[in-house]
Amino acid sequence: FINNLHYEKVRENGQIRDRVVLMLVGIDEDGYRQFLGTYMKTTETEASWSEVFTDLIDRGIDPDSVKYIVSDKHRGMRKAMAKFFPGSSWQWCQTHYQRNAEAKISGKEETEKLHQHIRDVFNSPNYETARARADKLIEHYEESYPNLANSLDETIEETFTVFNLPKKHRKRLRTNNSLERFNGEIKRRTKVVRIFPNRASCLRLVTALCMEQSEEWVTGRRYVNKESLDELLEENQLQEEEKNDSDLDLQREVVLA
């Protein structure tokens, strides 16, 4: 999954309200992207995401088939994801993470330096190098920007999930930038309307744009290479089988004990 959200202004009960639009893109086994759903909710909460995930499962999505999710750190989404897709791993979008980190520092020159430091971490060839560079970065800012250093220490690990993927997929799956760019196109179109008369009218426009984009993705080039994706899925399956075997062995040991 690649998830994203944005807010639109909607008239409700004679008042103008900000309502959240939740969008989900899936990458199928052949490596193509397609929109799985577009939803409008009152706010971004665990309950709203739970409704979205329930709808996807009711429509045929196998929870066990969801292996990887990339998004910004939407707290409601993270909690719902743990309930509905416990076997999936989550990647904090590195672009969003970098913006959050840069907001904790002042000065153009210092911000540019931090930007490059974090890019060096994210562009590491493997997890071990990224972890080592991150540790040096945290140590570098401990005295000058302790809040930044503490934040990096507590959260940067959540941006390293992508290192579990084949190297050729990491650049495209370490962020939700592709959906973010499309989000910009949606905002350009909805800006003409400014305030929607109701939720249904907003959802109709956004859904139509998503369907049009989805058709272009499905009939265009693959987003990720199918062969290496197959290898990754097979590897995940083997790991799951090994985990199940280990759980069975543990159960037997308990019974024998």
Side-chain angles (χ1 to χ4, degrees), residues 184-231:
E185 175 62 19
I186 290 178
K187 292 295 290 183
R188 186 182 70 81
R189 299 286 291 273
T190 59
K191 186 178 180 180
V192 177
V193 182
R194 292 184 59 199
I195 302 171
F196 287 89
N198 49 55
R199 293 194 189 189
S201 61
C202 178
L203 198 55
R204 278 196 300 271
L205 175 57
V206 174
T207 301
L209 294 172
C210 290
M211 290 176 63
E212 181 180 333
Q213 180 62 66
S214 195
E215 289 178 5
E216 290 183 13
W217 283 340
V218 172
T219 58
R221 298 179 61 183
R222 287 188 176 92
Y223 192 61
V224 295
N225 179 270
K226 183 180 185 302
E227 286 70 25
S228 54
L229 185 61
D230 288 340
E231 293 176 4

Side-chain angles (χ1 to χ4, degrees), residues 1-13:
F1 284 176
I2 304 174
N3 299 348
N4 204 354
L5 60 81
H6 72 275
Y7 285 83
E8 296 288 353
K9 294 188 180 299
V10 176
R11 194 177 300 278
E12 291 184 347
N13 299 321

